[in-house]
Amino acid sequence: MKKPPSASQDGSPSAGLLLDSLPVPVLELGLENRLRFANAAAEEFFGTSRHQLCQSVLEDLVPEDHPLFLLVQHVRREGGSITEHELVFSSPRFHHEGVTVQGADVLDYPGSILLTFHDSSAARALDRQLAFRSAARSVSGMAEMLAHEVRNPLSGIKGAAQILEHSVGESDKELATLICDEVDRIDALVERMGVFGEAPADYRSLNIHRVLEHVRLLASKGCAAGVRIVERYDPSLPHVWGNRDQLVQMLLNLVKNAAEAIQESDKPGEITLSTSYRPGIRLAVPGTSQWRHLPLVVTVRDTGPGISETIRPHLFEPFVSTKMSGSGLGLALVGKIMDDHGGVIEVESRPGRTEISLYLPVVPEGSESI
């Protein structure tokens, strides 16, 4: 099936133009699994231009033992259409998990098969964001309760222990000191939880690249010292609407986790900070009929060992940590800050490559920016 002209004789859109308008990747396979057609969405899905795709065979995109070949064989043998779910497509240029593929024979074109690829990662990211939002709100309530109900009694307990320390015998001083140390430990935990409170934040128009440059400087002198940090920015991006201090704290937490993952692997690695513009994701604004567009994407990528599949769905929940000494609050704070900014988090991870993408709203042109 060669690409038809952009419009038919009666002025209506041609089949090729309609396929290019679809957000779903579409491929047509000819005999010997040679690619004969690819729409615009397929270029983005496979990270390859249409011209290169149409000079390829299916084996150039997926390994020979991939389930996609069984689907193609079944369609060639039985005709009709067939669907496979939860397929993985991965190469140095692209990585997609949980993809549904539909294959069908093309009428009047013997030997041709049409393949469509349905990537549900965006929908899964929105579902996870709802879970992160619920978890973040529960931690916020806990933080407020701790601040009001725990810290006041703690100060009284510590004061009493300090008085006892000077009035008891030598054998009991160690117990009084132990009480003071434990009170300090609990107070430090409450202090860390305090960042989850609902204090009003100063939101304004920000240049995200200035924020990222500040995070890179802090990380290179601290938590990521000795780890190579690569910056790949799109300088044409509009400004983001947010709180600078919160964004710095959130991104620094992600870079810190990435650096620790690399350091634990005992292999040389690098962290990549990148920005891009990806239109498409929208969220309904609660209580209104308006939609919030999230086209600005900030990605933190590392070459560490990856995140296990058992931890990944709970990654941003409070008190969940992959480190023996971790408190499980760092990524929970990331989830809360993203929720406060009305954004969405997407995680992709496999051995040697973990990407955490933050989808953020932009501000109208002409707003005051820093």
Side-chain angles (χ1 to χ4, degrees), residues 47-244:
T48 307
S49 69
R50 192 198 315 257
H51 177 73
Q52 289 178 307
L53 284 173
C54 291
Q55 292 182 336
S56 306
V57 293
L58 193 58
E59 290 83 350
D60 295 331
L61 299 180
V62 294
E64 295 182 0
D65 59 348
H66 196 278
L68 185 59
F69 286 99
L70 294 178
L71 181 149
V72 171
Q73 291 172 10
H74 184 278
V75 174
R76 289 196 191 282
R77 184 175 62 252
E78 305 293 338
S81 64
I82 189 173
T83 302
E84 285 284 349
H85 302 278
E86 296 298 320
L87 298 185
V88 176
F89 294 86
S90 185
S91 84
R93 296 189 305 276
F94 56 84
H95 181 79
H96 307 283
E97 298 179 1
V99 179
T100 296
V101 180
Q102 294 178 314
D105 53 350
V106 182
L107 298 177
D108 299 329
Y109 288 86
S112 292
I113 295 177
L114 199 67
L115 299 175
T116 59
F117 302 80
H118 304 266
D119 187 356
S120 59
S121 60
R124 290 196 304 272
L126 294 178
D127 289 340
R128 286 195 300 267
Q129 189 65 24
L130 293 177
F132 300 158
R133 179 178 301 172
S134 177
R137 291 295 166 235
S138 66
V139 175
S140 297
M142 187 185 301
E144 293 178 359
M145 182 273 292
L146 287 173
H148 290 87
E149 304 296 334
V150 176
R151 301 193 83 171
N152 289 338
L154 281 180
S155 61
I157 293 172
K158 184 174 181 180
Q162 290 174 333
I163 293 173
L164 288 174
E165 188 177 3
H166 297 289
S167 60
V168 298
E170 289 295 329
S171 60
D172 293 327
K173 281 187 177 182
E174 183 178 352
L175 294 176
T177 302
L178 177 63
I179 294 173
C180 291
D181 291 342
E182 287 302 292
V183 167
D184 289 339
R185 184 179 65 83
I186 297 172
D187 189 66
L189 176 61
V190 175
E191 182 71 26
R192 291 200 300 272
M193 293 285 290
V195 297
F196 290 92
E198 297 294 340
D202 179 21
Y203 289 83
R204 61 180 64 190
S205 176
L206 300 170
N207 184 328
I208 193 62
H209 298 127
R210 292 184 183 177
V211 175
L212 285 166
E213 176 59 27
H214 183 67
V215 169
R216 185 201 64 79
L217 181 62
L218 290 175
S220 63
K221 303 298 182 182
C223 60
V227 179
R228 182 168 180 255
I229 300 178
V230 179
E231 296 173 289
R232 294 176 180 169
Y233 301 150
D234 179 352
S236 65
L237 290 182
H239 290 85
V240 66
W241 183 255
N243 177 272
R244 182 182 182 277

Side-chain angles (χ1 to χ4, degrees), residues 3-24:
K3 183 179 179 182
S6 60
S8 59
Q9 294 181 351
D10 62 0
S12 60
S14 68
L17 185 60
L18 291 174
L19 289 174
D20 268 345
S21 301
L22 286 175
V24 177

Side-chain angles (χ1 to χ4, degrees), residues 305-312 315 322 347-351 354 356:
I307 305 168
S308 70
E309 293 185 4
T310 56
I311 291 291
R312 205 178 308 169
L315 194 60
T322 59
V347 180
E348 291 187 5
S349 183
R350 60 186 187 275
T354 295
I356 297 182

Side-chain angles (χ1 to χ4, degrees), residues 279-306:
I281 290 187
R282 299 189 306 164
L283 284 180
V285 180
T288 72
S289 59
Q290 299 177 345
W291 291 83
R292 179 185 296 116
H293 295 263
L294 307 173
L296 194 151
V297 185
V298 179
T299 301
V300 179
R301 180 188 307 122
D302 69 71
T303 56

